[in-house]
Amino acid sequence: MKPRNIIEKIWDDHVVVREEGKPDLLYIDLHLIHEVTSPQAFEGLRQNGRKVRRPDLTFATMDHNIPTVNRFVIEDDVAKNQISALERNCQEFGITLAGLDSDDQGIVHVIGPELGLTLPGKTIVCGDSHTSTHGAFGALAFGIGTSEVEHVLATQTLWQHRPKTLQVKVTGSLSEGVTAKDVILYIIGKFGVDFGTGYVIEYSGEVIESLSMDERMTICNMSIEAGARAGLIAPDETTFNYIKGRKYAPKGEEFEKAVAYWKSLRSDPGATFDKTIEIRGEDIAPMVTWGTNPSMVLPVDHSIPTLEDARNENEAASFKRAYEYMGLEPGTNIQDIEIDYVFIGSCTNSRLTDLRAAANVIKGRKVAPNVKAIVVPGSQKVKQAAEQEGLHEIFINAGFEWRDSGCSMCLSMNNDVVPPGKRCASTSNRNFEGRQGKGARTHLVSPAMAAVAAIYGKFVDIRTEKLEAVK
Amino acid sequence: MQPFTTLTSHIAVLNRTNVDTDQIIPKQFLKRIERTGYGRFAFFDWRYLDNGEENPQFELNQPAYKGAQILLAGENFGCGSSREHAPWALADFGFRAIIAPSFADIFYQNCLKNGILPIRVNEEVFETLLKKAEGNVYECTIDLEQQKVFDQEGFEFHFDINEHWKEMLLNGRDEIGFTLLYEEQISQFEQKAKAWG
Ligand code: SF4
């Protein structure tokens, strides 16, 4: 048999129907639901008198819309209506819901793994583009629209074109102060926001293998920012250790059987990909985005590009738009940019290790007087675990606000909004115009870089900062 | 879903690259639980000034483009979030076809599910259309059955679309109903899958 890569193996194991000239009908093992992209899908089912085929493979939570202070008091009636619609729909169709009062609640891409729902080899979908996060476990996980949500609810399948496969290898090792966030920002900066369009990515290489599960999730999370619907990492001992004992994970003998299957998923020796790119871990520095998409990113010790740096007219046009929107002059040194807000959170960087990394930097220090800083743990479980370690005290003593879990300032659908013209160092994944509020200016960074920016009120190279701390 | 067979309309041009779904429909409008009525929010932050008036600087507010049912856009159109509110907003705004050098994957799928025909074109076709349509009332016809686009000046090009999606669009077919014809295969798969999963 021809050697296959992990993407092809998972795909082949899930094809229900393959017919000439058609996409494959793919079986879906896990369907995650949240309040924003599901109401119209449930409405569609009702209108056609259809049921949810496998409520047992469907799991819901609320995250996008909810308050992160006083979580039970939703002032916005339209938002409240959306939340109650989810509650009603889950009840009517028999779907488990981790609601606001549940210990399991959190950002959908944080709780899936945390609860052991996310497992290697599964096909996982959710009406959210950052579903790619779950690929960190060696699952084929991708975002879908609301019509597809309805389709999965009704049939537990999707018509999908077999994707092209892309291998992204990160060799060597990372320097001190460089994190998974910097790796993925570096890759997007180098290859652009659409190099992954039409592909599923497998990340591999020594750097990837050495990462924790939390860090792997950060990488896979931002695959969509490179245009790839899904990105995954082959499961290994790190993966199995993370999964063992989780609420919904297989137990005992079942677990051992599962591990044997999961091991078989690794790409075969000699397996090929449609495209391969390779980068060196040593080349990566702490990164800061300066523009209005994630590929407009630079090492922290660089300056904002000038029009002469643009590769073509299109790029020059988008540079101009970005200077204006971001209120930045070409040639400005990144470390001269002052910030007003710091947001530590989102499905990219709101897990326990992210909070630890930030807390480590701010311990015993104070947030700059003109900066408003908030920490929003990715889930209530992350929040509890952080509090057990006393991280919340470090944040609160430094002047951060310590919030309940949710998407919060990542997309600012609730009240957590960056005002027009204000500048935010954010650990989230999108620096699009208006993402954190109309006219808000977003700079994407790692948790440690966000933390150090909070203290100085401007961007600082975490590497030099570390040296000083040692002195 | 409304079937798509042929469409004759003038073209509106939004020549920007990487237009993301946050621009097409900003998040404050995602709280509604309906599928309709998003057209007035399309491109909201670009389209309106702070005082609520139309922004004359925004391309799609040009008088020449009013009522256009075809949108010509730059590469990687529809990147970012998976929100189907983006095609809902575009459809409700009046667009039934979008022509661009490339589309984001999820957005492309979402268009197909909402009776919007996404047409990928090469650089040369894109430049030609841009020249003809930018700032003008330029009309052309899309024939999905024939997979071609043509104007009255003799300009014509062919486009690709997978047979399956073409059928769906031509017939305005209910995809779920179609998939449920495979009920037996799905059940068999579920029986078999228990063995390993
Ligand atoms: S945290 Fe941000 S990116 Fe992640 S699911 Fe929520 S809104 Fe989407």
Side-chain angles (χ1 to χ4, degrees):
Chain A
M1 198 175 175
K2 187 174 164 287
R4 292 178 302 164
N5 63 44
I6 178 170
I7 301 159
E8 294 165 326
K9 289 186 191 182
I10 301 175
W11 191 275
D12 290 344
D13 277 350
H14 289 85
V15 175
V16 178
V17 176
R18 177 171 290 165
E19 287 171 5
E20 194 53 34
K22 277 211 188 85
D24 290 341
L25 187 64
L26 206 65
Y27 197 80
I28 302 302
D29 296 323
L30 174 65
H31 186 190
L32 300 168
I33 303 267
H34 66 85
E35 75 274 26
V36 176
T37 55
S38 66
Q40 296 86 354
F42 285 111
E43 189 52 33
L45 292 184
R46 263 191 294 268
Q47 276 166 5
N48 292 290
R50 288 171 177 145
K51 287 204 187 54
V52 174
R53 183 184 178 88
R54 296 292 302 268
D56 57 322
L57 302 183
T58 314
F59 192 95
T61 193
M62 37 187 77
D63 52 5
H64 282 66
N65 222 341
I66 57 169
T68 53
V69 271
N70 280 336
R71 60 192 344 221
F72 296 105
V73 188
I74 304 176
E75 283 158 7
D76 179 344
D77 281 338
V78 191
K80 198 153 102 199
N81 190 26
Q82 198 170 56
I83 297 288
S84 10
L86 182 65
E87 287 167 343
R88 273 197 316 274
N89 289 329
C90 287
Q91 196 166 31
E92 180 181 339
F93 291 95
I95 294 165
T96 309
L97 167 69
L100 285 179
D101 53 356
S102 164
D103 281 348
D104 291 345
Q105 182 275 341
I107 303 173
V108 65
H109 310 309
V110 176
I111 65 166
E114 202 170 67
L115 295 173
L117 290 163
T118 301
L119 297 175
K122 275 192 181 181
T123 45
I124 302 176
V125 296
C126 173
D128 188 283
S129 60
H130 290 100
T131 307
S132 58
T133 313
H134 307 264
F137 291 78
L140 184 68
F142 52 91
I144 56 178
T146 298
S147 296
E148 290 176 314
V149 169
E150 186 180 338
H151 193 278
V152 177
L153 288 172
T155 71
Q156 205 57 34
T157 62
L158 275 179
W159 295 98
Q160 292 289 308
H161 294 282
R162 206 180 165 84
K164 291 181 282 181
T165 58
L166 166 59
Q167 184 183 40
V168 175
K169 261 185 143 167
V170 190
T171 62
S173 61
L174 299 178
S175 322
E176 181 73 26
V178 178
T179 68
K181 181 65 161 288
D182 304 302
V183 173
I184 189 67
L185 284 173
Y186 174 87
I187 293 171
I188 296 167
K190 197 169 162 82
F191 299 100
V193 286
D194 58 358
F195 79 91
T197 304
Y199 291 92
V200 171
I201 299 174
E202 182 187 3
Y203 300 94
S204 59
E206 296 99 44
V207 165
I208 302 295
E209 284 160 26
S210 69
L211 297 177
S212 70
M213 287 319 295
D214 285 4
E215 294 168 307
R216 292 180 190 187
M217 285 189 253
T218 302
I219 303 245
C220 291
N221 173 274
M222 288 189 70
S223 302
I224 184 67
E225 260 53 70
R229 272 181 102 166
L232 55 73
I233 294 170
D236 59 11
E237 291 304 321
T238 308
T239 323
F240 310 145
N241 289 336
Y242 178 103
I243 295 169
K244 200 167 187 172
R246 301 262 162 192
K247 187 165 175 181
Y248 294 104
K251 308 267 155 39
E253 206 183 312
E254 287 297 305
F255 182 78
E256 298 311 321
K257 267 201 250 166
V259 168
Y261 170 64
W262 296 340
K263 283 184 175 162
S264 76
L265 294 170
R266 297 186 72 86
S267 293
D268 295 328
T272 55
F273 292 79
D274 294 299
K275 189 158 93 179
T276 294
I277 58 181
E278 196 167 316
I279 57 165
R280 287 164 17 107
E282 292 77 7
D283 292 342
I284 307 172
M287 306 293 282
V288 180
T289 65
W290 66 270
T292 50
N293 74 48
S295 74
M296 296 169 146
V297 66
L298 292 167
V300 60
D301 52 0
H302 282 220
S303 312
I304 295 176
T306 62
L307 285 179
E308 279 100 77
D309 297 320
R311 280 164 298 195
N312 52 46
E313 250 173 67
N314 272 344
E315 193 167 78
S318 56
F319 277 14
K320 269 191 220 154
R321 239 189 271 284
Y323 299 145
E324 192 183 326
Y325 183 84
M326 295 298 290
L328 292 170
E329 292 293 323
T332 308
N333 192 325
I334 295 268
Q335 294 181 67
D336 290 336
I337 301 175
E338 293 184 0
I339 54 151
D340 311 295
Y341 279 73
V342 169
F343 170 58
I344 297 177
S346 90
C347 57
T348 314
N349 283 125
S350 64
R351 298 178 181 83
L352 192 57
T353 48
D354 299 316
L355 303 193
R356 280 186 192 142
N360 208 13
V361 173
I362 61 165
K363 197 168 189 166
R365 302 160 93 176
K366 291 273 180 238
V367 170
N370 49 341
V371 171
K372 180 178 162 78
I374 69 171
V375 189
V376 184
S379 70
Q380 289 306 89
K381 281 206 165 56
V382 168
K383 186 177 188 198
Q384 285 156 12
E387 288 180 353
Q388 262 166 23
E389 291 181 16
L391 299 186
H392 63 309
E393 280 163 9
I394 298 178
F395 284 114
I396 292 167
N397 291 341
F400 274 84
E401 289 177 34
W402 178 249
R403 300 287 188 87
D404 278 320
S405 65
C407 294
S408 179
M409 216 177 256
C410 172
L411 94 164
S412 300
M413 260 186 94
N414 64 0
N415 291 332
D416 306 335
V417 179
V418 178
K422 295 291 180 193
R423 199 176 288 289
C424 181
S426 177
T427 65
S428 55
N429 42 54
R430 286 189 177 138
N431 51 345
F432 296 158
E433 284 182 33
R435 176 79 179 180
Q436 295 190 293
K438 189 173 182 181
R441 295 160 173 166
T442 304
H443 296 268
L444 304 175
V445 286
S446 73
M449 285 285 287
V452 73
I455 288 159
Y456 288 92
K458 63 190 192 71
F459 292 110
V460 170
D461 190 337
I462 189 77
R463 295 170 300 185
T464 52
E465 182 59 20
K466 283 233 158 112
L467 290 178
E468 274 170 27
V470 178
K471 264 183 222 162
Chain B
M1 193 172 83
Q2 193 186 351
F4 189 112
T5 48
T6 62
L7 172 69
T8 301
S9 165
H10 58 295
I11 299 184
V13 180
L14 183 63
N15 185 21
R16 305 190 191 195
T17 57
N18 302 317
V19 172
D20 56 75
T21 53
D22 276 86
Q23 303 319 322
I24 299 173
I25 179 95
K27 70 300 189 90
Q28 61 267 37
F29 308 114
L30 308 183
K31 296 173 188 168
R32 301 169 69 247
I33 58 171
E34 297 82 21
R35 225 178 232 271
T36 50
Y38 291 92
R40 60 183 190 272
F41 310 129
F43 301 107
F44 194 84
D45 290 353
W46 287 346
R47 196 162 138 206
Y48 300 106
L49 299 169
D50 286 341
N51 64 13
E53 279 171 24
E54 277 198 0
N55 176 3
Q57 303 292 329
F58 179 52
E59 294 92 312
L60 298 187
N61 285 336
Q62 284 194 38
Y65 298 156
K66 290 275 143 135
Q69 291 177 275
I70 304 172
L71 176 67
L72 180 68
E75 65 182 34
N76 199 27
F77 189 74
C79 60
S81 116
S82 65
R83 61 187 73 160
E84 200 160 309
H85 310 70
W88 294 339
L90 292 170
D92 196 44
F93 188 82
F95 293 121
R96 300 227 47 219
I98 305 171
I99 305 177
S102 59
F103 295 90
D105 289 339
I106 303 177
F107 179 81
Y108 185 90
Q109 287 296 323
N110 283 343
C111 283
L112 295 171
K113 312 278 156 121
N114 288 283
I116 298 180
L117 174 63
I119 300 178
R120 293 191 191 99
V121 292
N122 62 30
E123 194 65 16
E124 198 187 317
V125 170
F126 178 74
E127 291 299 331
T128 309
L129 287 172
L130 192 61
K131 246 189 234 127
K132 288 172 176 275
E134 201 159 39
N136 301 318
V137 180
Y138 166 68
E139 194 177 85
C140 65
T141 298
I142 300 170
D143 184 336
L144 177 57
E145 179 66 54
Q146 301 291 322
Q147 294 180 219
K148 70 177 189 192
V149 179
F150 56 91
D151 65 12
Q152 270 119 33
E153 298 156 10
F155 174 66
E156 175 179 321
F157 66 91
H158 172 94
F159 62 89
D160 289 330
I161 180 169
N162 179 276
E163 272 305 308
H164 175 75
W165 305 120
K166 180 174 162 180
E167 281 292 302
M168 293 275 166
L169 281 170
L170 282 173
N171 301 310
R173 200 188 260 159
D174 162 27
E175 195 189 11
I176 295 176
F178 174 76
T179 307
L180 288 174
L181 300 175
Y182 293 88
E183 163 60 36
E184 212 181 299
Q185 282 95 325
I186 299 173
S187 293
Q188 275 171 9
F189 182 91
E190 286 175 327
Q191 291 305 321
K192 183 188 81 185
K194 284 201 188 108
W196 55 264

